[in-house]
Amino acid sequence: MTDKLPENNFPAGYEVPKVWTWDKGNGGTFASINRPIAGPTHDKELPVGKHPLQLYSLATPNGQKVTIMLEELLALGHKGAEYDAWLIKIGDGDQFGSGFVGVNPNSKIPALMDRSTPEPTRVFESGSILVYLAEKFGAFLPKDLKGRTEAMNWLFWQMGSAPFLGGGFGHFFAYAPMHIKYAIDRYAMEVKRQMDVLDRHLADHPFLAGSEYSIADMATWPWYGRLALNQAYGDAGKFLEVDTYKHVQRWTAEIAARPAVKRGCMVNRVSGDPADQLPERHDASDFETRTADKLATA
């Protein structure tokens, strides 16, 4: 195909090699922590607090899914959901420490250790953690087969769709070392299609699984709700005209108003307003006494 001649590629002259090799100088945000192999880079044990549930995370959208779930469980009165949330600084490579890799061999946050079981149970991948907690506490997952299946449908939709929003659109729109029109157009079109999928569904349903707020909403809101609030990737919301998705906006605002969601979004957060940052969480009182602004003046 003539359009794939080296002179037509970007950068001009690029030819796909027979075998890929790692270019450590490829640049871009997060380049310093990306690598083509797994496993630990250094020995470091993970801290362990006083609660059975030990969370190791950062307030990315995937991290917020789990802290929202834990705060919602506590709001329902599930005292067994008390947890310690330890900060994993992915920019510093904390996720490649031997202790973290022992909990999640994929070196991605969030990762959870449940020490209430006869042998400590590790749980990794945010979707798996949500299902584990929902089943452990019998909450936020419909008990009837149809409702449960619909919640799982949307949970897996989110797990499969969000990489196109984050690693696809978000990367090329905000983090890549240069703007590539083809890449931005490709992923912008896909994210707008996803928003339309959500908008059409939410036109007839209060929540993703139907009438019941569930782990499907907790998984999806930190990604698509954040985008709907124009809080993702700079001005991405304006670029994608998120205000036009009226039903997504309704759903977003309703979930954003939940007190447990507000608390969950603060945990392991290290950017933005210091009053909204709770780098580590070990007790419910920490929201009042150990936010970043209070620690700075202590």
Side-chain angles (χ1 to χ4, degrees):
M1 296 177 63
T2 58
D3 61 340
K4 291 189 178 180
L5 293 172
E7 58 267 28
N8 294 333
N9 289 343
F10 186 83
Y14 172 72
E15 295 186 66
V16 179
K18 297 294 184 183
V19 178
W20 181 84
T21 57
W22 183 19
D23 180 4
K24 294 183 180 180
N26 199 31
T29 306
F30 310 122
S32 63
I33 60 170
N34 290 334
R35 59 195 184 114
I37 56 174
T41 60
H42 58 282
D43 290 328
K44 185 178 181 180
E45 293 186 8
L46 291 174
V48 178
K50 63 182 179 180
H51 301 299
L53 296 178
Q54 299 292 302
L55 178 66
Y56 305 95
S57 192
L58 181 69
T60 66
N62 284 334
Q64 288 176 338
K65 298 176 191 177
V66 177
T67 49
I68 287 171
M69 174 62 163
L70 288 166
E71 292 298 326
E72 291 280 15
L73 287 168
L74 290 170
L76 271 186
H78 291 283
K79 295 181 180 179
E82 271 293 352
Y83 66 104
D84 291 278
W86 302 94
L87 181 64
I88 298 297
K89 298 178 181 178
I90 60 175
D92 295 345
D94 289 352
Q95 69 275 30
F96 300 120
S98 56
F100 189 90
V101 174
V103 182
N104 185 357
N106 195 38
S107 292
K108 302 289 185 181
I109 62 93
L112 179 74
M113 285 294 290
D114 183 357
R115 295 180 173 273
S116 70
T117 53
E119 293 290 332
T121 301
R122 75 176 188 181
V123 198
F124 61 90
E125 290 297 323
S126 58
S128 179
I129 296 172
L130 290 177
V131 173
Y132 179 83
L133 292 172
E135 293 182 339
K136 179 180 178 73
F137 294 101
F140 299 115
L141 185 58
K143 293 178 174 57
D144 65 288
L145 180 61
K146 183 176 181 180
R148 176 188 169 89
T149 301
E150 188 68 358
M152 297 296 277
N153 287 341
W154 287 102
L155 174 63
F156 281 93
W157 177 87
Q158 184 279 316
M159 299 295 289
S161 297
F164 291 96
L165 168 55
F169 172 78
H171 176 78
F172 287 106
F173 185 80
Y175 301 135
M178 78 286 287
H179 281 151
I180 302 171
K181 183 179 186 299
Y182 170 80
I184 292 174
D185 286 350
R186 165 71 179 85
Y187 288 110
M189 178 170 60
E190 172 59 14
V191 172
K192 286 184 71 67
R193 188 193 69 82
Q194 293 174 3
M195 291 290 280
D196 194 44
V197 169
L198 284 173
D199 203 60
R200 290 169 183 265
H201 178 71
L202 290 168
D204 300 316
H205 303 86
F207 300 104
L208 291 179
S211 61
E212 187 175 335
Y213 175 61
S214 74
I215 58 173
D217 302 288
M218 297 179 204
T220 305
W221 185 89
W223 283 100
Y224 295 90
R226 183 165 160 253
L227 179 64
L229 292 169
N230 197 25
Q231 295 176 357
Y233 315 118
D235 287 331
K238 180 178 179 180
F239 180 76
L240 296 172
E241 297 181 299
V242 295
D243 288 345
T244 63
Y245 303 103
K246 301 301 183 183
H247 305 294
V248 174
Q249 291 291 339
R250 184 270 307 163
W251 169 83
T252 294
E254 186 170 342
I255 294 176
R258 296 177 69 91
V261 171
K262 294 178 181 179
R263 292 193 299 273
C265 288
M266 294 173 63
V267 179
N268 296 143
R269 185 175 177 182
V270 291
S271 62
D273 186 345
D276 294 330
Q277 298 177 33
L278 186 63
E280 290 186 1
R281 187 262 191 220
H282 304 290
D283 187 84
S285 64
D286 291 347
F287 290 100
E288 302 300 327
T289 62
R290 296 189 60 79
T291 52
D293 60 327
K294 293 183 175 65
L295 292 175
T297 59

